[in-house]
Amino acid sequence: ETGVTQSPTHLIKTRGQQVTLRCSSQSGHNTVSWYQQALGQGPQFIFQYYREEENGRGNFPPRFSGLQFPNYSSELNVNALELDDSALYLCASSLEANTGELFFGEGSRLTVL
Amino acid sequence: TQLLEQSPQFLSIQEGENLTVYCNSSSVFSSLQWYRQEPGEGPVLLVTVVTGGEVKKLKRLTFQFGDARKDSSLHITAAQPGDTGLYLCAGEGETSGSRLTFGEGTQLTVNP
């Protein structure tokens, strides 16, 4: 059974650029959630995808968007990057949308200069 | 908006000491989870508590869910350097499914 994998692990962008982060969910899991974790903070919910549809969104602007593919892998896209977008972006998969148990990947560390 | 407050934010203790971390909210949660996160890694689930008043033990770690399901505590007995990490509590709202609300975390350092 493979766990949740994320890529890239680290990346550096400049203000105004766009970034795409990728996540492969754990085998058998159809739900992927994305969280943003700023330095010294707990993770903040961005959105969740369940069977290729957005299934809930946190308090993040529309320039944060996502996709889920038929194999349940997912992408997080952020447009017009701002300095405050610098954070660890965590992907978590779960067996179903209403199952609270999340399995996290190691995260993608984004630095915006 | 559901909020979870953790205390203390930072804790530095000597090996062998006991400690308690608290997680409080004014909201009711259907379940509460505790995670441990190490630098450069994602959070790893330690335990889920579901029933008000529930107590769960994981070796030297004891987790308790408040009777009203608004708060929780994590107690570590005889802490070891390997316990060092960021401890996060996360609540599952009664209607939010697996969209968790996280506390800000407690950074624990256990010195040899």
Side-chain angles (χ1 to χ4, degrees):
Chain A
E1 179 181 274
T2 55
V4 177
T5 57
Q6 293 186 242
S7 64
T9 54
H10 296 83
L11 69 167
I12 300 173
K13 293 283 187 178
T14 56
R15 277 187 305 171
Q17 285 189 313
Q18 179 266 342
V19 69
T20 297
L21 307 178
R22 295 177 176 84
C23 171
S24 294
S25 61
Q26 183 161 315
S27 177
H29 288 188
N30 61 21
T31 303
V32 170
S33 303
W34 286 91
Y35 288 80
Q36 181 196 63
Q37 186 176 23
L39 201 59
Q41 304 287 317
Q44 298 287 317
F45 174 72
I46 302 175
F47 44 55
Q48 180 186 86
Y49 279 84
Y50 170 63
R51 296 191 176 184
E52 303 178 60
E53 297 287 331
E54 187 178 288
N55 183 44
R57 187 180 183 92
N59 189 26
F60 280 82
R63 59 191 185 83
F64 286 76
S65 62
L67 282 174
Q68 188 178 33
F69 299 99
N71 66 354
Y72 303 131
S73 65
S74 178
E75 285 183 357
L76 164 64
N77 300 290
V78 187
N79 293 322
L81 284 167
E82 301 176 0
L83 297 180
D84 285 349
D85 296 334
S86 295
L88 180 67
Y89 287 86
L90 294 163
C91 168
S93 73
S94 53
L95 199 58
E96 290 286 341
N98 293 321
T99 300
E101 192 163 352
L102 300 181
F103 295 83
F104 284 88
E106 294 190 348
S108 293
R109 171 72 64 187
L110 171 65
T111 302
V112 182
L113 302 176
Chain B
T1 302
Q2 297 178 310
L3 295 173
L4 277 168
E5 294 183 355
Q6 279 188 245
S7 62
Q9 188 177 358
F10 297 96
L11 192 54
S12 181
I13 61 172
Q14 294 301 119
E15 183 175 1
E17 292 183 359
N18 302 330
L19 67 114
T20 302
V21 176
Y22 299 93
C23 178
N24 296 298
S25 177
S26 58
S27 302
V28 175
F29 291 98
S30 59
S31 72
L32 205 135
Q33 301 174 9
W34 285 91
Y35 291 81
R36 179 163 158 251
Q37 185 178 22
E38 298 197 34
E41 298 184 7
V44 175
L45 180 65
L46 296 174
V47 78
T48 302
V49 284
V50 178
T51 307
E54 182 177 4
V55 176
K56 280 193 175 179
K57 293 195 174 186
L58 185 65
K59 297 183 180 178
R60 294 176 292 101
L61 278 59
T62 301
F63 305 85
Q64 185 163 8
F65 201 11
D67 291 341
R69 292 185 288 132
K70 294 182 179 182
D71 54 81
S72 181
S73 64
L74 157 61
H75 182 79
I76 301 179
T77 303
Q80 298 176 0
D83 295 328
T84 293
L86 179 68
Y87 289 82
L88 294 158
C89 66
E92 180 183 358
E94 294 186 301
T95 58
S96 63
S98 57
R99 285 159 269 170
L100 298 179
T101 298
F102 280 84
E104 293 194 347
T106 294
Q107 181 62 54
L108 171 65
T109 303
V110 182
N111 302 298

